[in-house]
């Protein structure tokens, strides 16, 4: 059965002490209950992962990294491998966030390598896709998302692909306060599910979780998540306040 997920991407926010405080607040709220069939994930900065896995109930609030290296091990100063992420107790890794594509030159070819390494290390990838505003205005958004997904994911076997979570994050909606309309989100999510159907068949497509990300907040989450192909959200700014994040979780 398809799982609903609400994941908080903290990006480059929170010192260790602040991160512990936020994670413990989220954990406490989530302990009060979440909607059926819903998984909660937080993605703090790498260096908080090991500590947070000792401080919170990770069966309740699962941990994700925001990235991993495209090489398995060795002389890559400053990089963090998928195996290292796994060893902290994290279960997920965000791959292909638009900020990594834009500021760090991550291409679909690089992301394909990261996906492979994540899966080899038993991490579930949360793979991000989404168009920039110019591409949407030029009506290229479907093509862009299609190549992001097919280039980095469609080499996987059916079994491997079933471990993927897709996050559609239109770049023009990230951190801008402009949210995709529920219709725009549903249209793209249905398109993505159709791509998966064409490649892996209906059963796999039915079961895959597709998240929406981009200025999702307590006031718009319910409307976005009520669409049949929107299975939760990848939340940036609003995941930095435990109360807001919990309100979004309860909207799923
Ligand atoms: P905002 O929710 O801050 O727009 O960020 C979305 C995002 O990029 C999550 O990965």
């Amino acid at each position: 059965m398809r799982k609903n997920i609400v994941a908080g991407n903290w990006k480059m926010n929170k010192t260790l002490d602040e991160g512990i405080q936020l994670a413990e607040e989220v954990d406490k709220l989530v302990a009060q209950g979440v909607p059926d069939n819903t998984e909660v994930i937080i993605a703090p900065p790498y260096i908080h992962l090991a500590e947070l896995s000792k401080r919170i109930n990770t069966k309740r609030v699962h941990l994700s990294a925001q990235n991993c290296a495209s090489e398995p091990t060795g002389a890559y100063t400053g990089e963090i491998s998928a195996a290292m992420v796994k060893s902290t107790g994290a279960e997920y890794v965000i791959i292909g966030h638009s900020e990594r594509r834009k500021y760090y030159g991550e291409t679909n070819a690089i992301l394909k390598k990261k996906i492979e390494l994540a899966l080899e290390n038993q991490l579930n990838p949360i793979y991000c896709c989404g168009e920039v505003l110019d591409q949407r205005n030029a009506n290229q958004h479907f093509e862009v998302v299609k190549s992001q997904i097919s280039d980095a994911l469609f080499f996987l076997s059916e079994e491997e692909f079933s471990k993927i979570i897709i996050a559609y994050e239109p770049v023009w909606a990230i951190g801008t306060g402009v949210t995709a309309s529920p219709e725009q989100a549903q249209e793209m999510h249905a398109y993505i599910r159709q791509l998966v159907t064409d490649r892996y068949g209906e059963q796999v497509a039915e079961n895959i979780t597709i998240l929406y990300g981009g200025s999702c907040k307590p006031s718009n989450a319910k409307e976005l998540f009520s669409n049949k192909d929107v299975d939760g959200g990848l939340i940036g700014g609003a995941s930095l306040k435990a109360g807001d994040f919990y309100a979004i979780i309860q909207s799923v």
Side-chain angles (χ1 to χ4, degrees), residues 14-144:
K14 305 290 176 190
T15 62
L16 181 57
D17 283 348
E18 292 165 351
I20 290 168
Q21 197 186 337
L22 175 57
E24 287 180 346
E25 279 171 24
V26 169
D27 190 33
K28 214 178 278 171
L29 287 170
V30 168
Q32 295 174 14
V34 298
D36 284 348
N37 193 35
T38 300
E39 189 150 307
V40 176
I41 302 173
I42 54 173
Y46 284 133
I47 57 163
H48 302 359
L49 286 170
E51 184 63 24
L52 295 190
S53 79
K54 288 185 252 164
R55 301 258 188 167
I56 61 172
N57 181 342
T58 54
K59 296 261 175 296
R60 199 154 64 196
V61 178
H62 301 258
L63 288 171
S64 174
Q66 298 173 16
N67 181 29
C68 69
S70 58
E71 299 298 332
T73 186
Y76 300 98
T77 301
E79 287 293 273
I80 307 289
S81 71
M84 292 173 195
V85 169
K86 179 70 185 178
S87 72
T88 66
E91 298 167 80
Y92 294 89
V93 56
I94 297 172
I95 291 180
H97 192 280
S98 62
E99 287 147 18
R100 305 260 358 139
R101 294 178 190 263
K102 179 175 173 196
Y103 302 129
Y104 303 97
E106 295 193 358
T107 60
N108 291 337
I110 292 171
L111 299 172
K112 182 180 172 197
K113 288 167 66 180
K114 296 190 179 201
I115 292 280
E116 256 179 318
L117 286 165
L119 290 171
E120 269 172 31
N121 288 282
Q122 289 81 49
L123 288 168
N124 293 96
I126 302 172
Y127 180 73
C128 302
C129 58
E131 78 287 354
V132 301
L133 188 58
D134 284 351
Q135 291 164 332
R136 178 162 280 265
N137 289 340
N139 208 25
Q140 293 165 345
H141 44 300
F142 293 114
E143 274 313 301
V144 169

